[in-house]
Amino acid sequence: EAGVTQFPSHSVIEKGQTVTLRCDPISGHDNLYWYRRVMGKEIKFLLHFVKESKQDESGMPNNRFLAERTGGTYSTLKVQPAELEDSGVYFCASSPSSGGDVAKNIQYFGAGTRLSVL
Amino acid sequence: ELKVEQNPLFLSMQEGKNYTIYCNYSTTSDRLYWYRQDPGKSLESLFVLLSNGAVKQEGRLMASLDTKARLSTLHITAAVHDLSATYFCAVDMNNNAGNMLTFGGGTRLMVKP
């Protein structure tokens, strides 16, 4: 079974440019999450999709960040325009609907996209 | 606001030695996760601890949870080089499905031959 895949693995852009990150969750997983780790800090939650709907976007830093999950499959996270402080590693994770089985609440992570804004 | 603190943040140890990583959290939660990350790789789930007193073991790693003390430990027994990685604990505040995780800062473990 394929895991969570993220593309690109690394992106270097200049301040003011636009970047779009993509996440393909594990097939059949309704829950999709975005997290970010800024250098030297903890991994922080950004938002959570259930299928195509945004369940919780309380962690999104500002309106320069736009996440979509059209059709409830893959998701994109667009940063426009990028600022220096947006640099970090962006992780995507997915989990199935638990149906009450707590063991299904485990989130499976991708390898992340390292974003460098110069 | 839930806070999760791990210590130490960096640990260098000799092969064959034992050590413990600590994870404290600030708000009641009955579900705690331990993940491992190798450089450039995804976070790999190691353990899910669901109740007070839970203990799980896999190879040289053993994790435990004390919900009253709001403390989880990850104990390493007779470390080997292959255990070198960054270890994260993470907590979610709700027993429902699909909750955000709050992570500790990670412990970078280096096991020297």
Side-chain angles (χ1 to χ4, degrees):
Chain A
E1 178 183 283
V4 177
T5 56
Q6 293 186 244
F7 182 83
S9 57
H10 192 183
S11 180
V12 182
I13 62 172
E14 293 189 351
K15 176 182 171 180
Q17 290 185 321
T18 298
V19 63
T20 300
L21 314 180
R22 173 170 169 145
C23 170
D24 287 76
I26 293 172
S27 178
H29 281 193
D30 288 340
N31 295 293
L32 187 149
Y33 312 81
W34 284 98
Y35 293 84
R36 176 174 76 170
R37 188 180 196 196
V38 172
M39 191 169 63
K41 304 280 183 110
E42 297 87 358
I43 299 172
K44 293 278 195 185
F45 168 81
L46 296 178
L47 88 160
H48 168 212
F49 284 100
V50 177
K51 298 184 181 179
E52 67 275 10
S53 300
K54 290 177 185 174
Q55 183 77 8
D56 181 354
E57 51 184 330
S58 61
M60 294 287 264
N62 51 60
N63 60 10
R64 295 185 293 103
F65 289 76
L66 176 63
E68 293 180 324
R69 192 184 182 195
T70 307
T73 54
Y74 72 90
S75 175
T76 57
L77 180 64
K78 181 161 69 174
V79 185
Q80 178 183 28
E83 299 288 344
L84 299 178
E85 63 264 26
D86 301 332
S87 296
V89 181
Y90 290 77
F91 292 101
C92 175
S94 71
S95 68
S97 296
S98 70
D101 180 355
V102 294
K104 292 186 178 180
N105 289 345
I106 295 172
Q107 295 182 25
Y108 298 86
F109 281 77
T113 294
R114 180 174 295 276
L115 175 63
S116 300
V117 182
L118 307 179
Chain B
E1 179 188 346
L2 173 61
K3 292 190 187 302
V4 181
E5 291 187 358
Q6 264 180 259
N7 69 83
L9 296 183
F10 181 74
L11 177 56
S12 178
M13 56 191 297
Q14 295 289 130
E15 279 193 328
K17 298 293 187 182
N18 304 332
Y19 208 82
T20 301
I21 299 170
Y22 297 88
C23 176
N24 290 88
Y25 53 97
S26 61
T27 306
T28 301
S29 173
D30 289 332
R31 192 154 58 203
L32 187 138
Y33 303 82
W34 284 97
Y35 283 89
R36 167 185 172 145
Q37 186 191 25
D38 293 290
K41 306 289 187 181
S42 60
L43 279 72
E44 173 193 350
S45 176
L46 294 174
F47 302 108
V48 182
L49 302 170
L50 300 175
S51 60
N52 188 43
V55 177
K56 290 196 174 179
Q57 183 162 6
E58 181 73 36
R60 300 174 188 274
L61 301 178
M62 183 173 70
S64 66
L65 178 62
D66 181 342
T67 57
K68 293 178 182 176
R70 299 177 187 167
L71 170 68
S72 179
T73 60
L74 180 66
H75 187 72
I76 303 155
T77 302
V80 293
H81 180 69
D82 286 352
L83 289 180
S84 298
T86 299
Y87 294 84
F88 294 94
C89 65
V91 176
D92 75 41
M93 291 179 62
N94 201 308
N95 286 328
N96 295 328
N99 296 297
M100 59 179 260
L101 295 179
T102 301
F103 281 85
T107 296
R108 186 176 168 200
L109 172 65
M110 187 178 300
V111 181
K112 297 183 287 186

